[in-house]
Amino acid sequence: MYDALIIGGGAAGMSCALVLGSAKPKAYATHKNIGIVIHQKTSHLQTALFNNVLGLTPGTTGASILNSGKEQLSSLYPHIDQIDNEKVLEVSKKDNYFKVKTNKTIYDTKIVVIAVGYTNLMTIEGLNQYIEPHPRAAIAKDRIWLKNTDHLIEENLYVAGTLAGWRSQFAIASGSGAHVATDILTLWNGGKHTKVHDKVEV
Ligand SMILES: Cc1cc2nc3c(=O)[nH]c(=O)nc-3n(C[C@H](O)[C@H](O)[C@H](O)COP(=O)(O)OP(=O)(O)OC[C@H]3O[C@@H](n4cnc5c(N)ncnc54)[C@H](O)[C@@H]3O)c2cc1C
């Protein structure tokens, strides 16, 4: 049983995983089982080129971030399960947890974060009732969002990134994933607001 399972290994999903992973030393997070279905084939990062993102060297490719993000996650926070080569087909509610069915197996998890991007090709069963036209994209592009309030679709079911209704910019999608992570950490911390900061030792 996962405590939190992130679906999607793009900007939002990997950012969410990094922040959740970084909370390992905190008592409220140390024993949590966290996973990410790190499917990246259809990430918008595959063809993106970044010149306008603070902290990224101009000319950085999205494809390089897909690789370096996975490496950053596995080297700094190896306790996060990276589930490779699987695609999610269905998310369903069972009592007080969720079943996440992939093309290979079924995972049980208490919390789900959906971060699969805002394309209308999204075909995960069990989410159809939340799909609406994207509120901040050109109508002609036919983008979608999962209706939510502050990233929360329903109890313990979160959406992050462009699929949460944000415009498609790398920093926004990453920030959305980080935002969801701190919401989950706050939940695990008994509702007391929390964040994770590293600092330079002097
Ligand atoms: C050509 C191009 C150029 C861009 N240039 C810029 C730029 O210059 N500056 C800027 O700020 N932004 C730019 N962007 C936008 C930026 O790349 C996106 O805003 C960002 O990638 C969105 O992040 P996301 O996590 O919402 O979606 P994505 O990064 O698309 O991630 C979604 C992830 O979900 C996975 N997934 C999908 N379906 C499933 C499933 N069923 N099961 C499991 N996983 C699944 C996908 O494989 C993917 O890894 C550009 C985008 C494109 C396409």
Side-chain angles (χ1 to χ4, degrees):
M1 171 75 79
Y2 283 107
D3 291 288
L5 183 62
I6 300 159
I7 302 174
M14 286 198 292
S15 298
C16 185
L18 284 167
V19 176
L20 285 182
S22 70
K24 176 84 171 160
K26 310 263 189 188
Y28 60 77
T30 200
H31 297 299
K32 299 295 186 190
N33 285 329
I34 304 162
I36 175 167
V37 180
I38 201 141
H39 182 282
Q40 295 186 320
K41 266 189 207 138
T42 59
S43 173
H44 280 193
L45 294 178
Q46 292 286 1
T47 50
L49 173 69
F50 296 111
N51 296 309
N52 60 1
V53 179
L54 183 68
L56 287 188
T57 305
T60 300
T61 63
S64 72
I65 294 171
L66 287 171
N67 287 328
S68 63
K70 284 174 68 168
E71 278 168 26
Q72 186 178 355
L73 198 53
S74 58
S75 62
L76 289 177
Y77 311 121
H79 62 288
I80 305 262
D81 275 353
Q82 290 192 40
I83 302 164
D84 265 314
N85 303 318
E86 290 183 43
K87 185 175 181 177
V88 172
L89 305 178
E90 184 176 357
V91 174
S92 57
K93 189 88 190 268
K94 173 101 174 134
D95 305 325
N96 58 346
Y97 67 97
F98 294 90
K99 288 197 156 310
V100 173
K101 184 179 172 195
T102 72
N103 53 330
K104 295 200 176 150
T105 189
I106 296 176
Y107 300 98
D108 293 340
T109 180
K110 294 177 186 164
I111 291 176
V112 182
V113 180
I114 316 277
V116 299
Y118 67 166
T119 156
N120 64 355
L121 300 173
M122 207 271 296
T123 52
I124 301 175
E125 293 284 329
L127 301 176
N128 287 343
Q129 70 268 36
Y130 307 115
I131 296 178
E132 291 187 354
H134 197 283
R136 296 187 187 89
I139 292 169
K141 295 255 183 183
D142 212 10
R143 303 298 192 189
I144 58 166
W145 77 321
L146 299 184
K147 190 168 188 226
N148 68 90
T149 305
D150 290 341
H151 297 105
L152 192 65
I153 299 171
E154 62 169 69
E155 192 181 17
N156 295 330
L157 180 61
Y158 294 84
V159 58
T162 47
L163 188 63
W166 302 116
R167 294 193 183 91
S168 178
Q169 293 287 162
F170 180 80
I172 299 177
S174 299
S176 167
H179 185 117
V180 169
T182 57
D183 281 351
I184 292 170
L185 294 176
T186 295
L187 194 69
W188 289 345
N189 195 30
K192 200 169 160 209
H193 289 290
T194 188
K195 57 194 168 353
V196 189
H197 289 181
D198 296 319
K199 66 178 175 192
V200 177
E201 298 299 336
V202 283

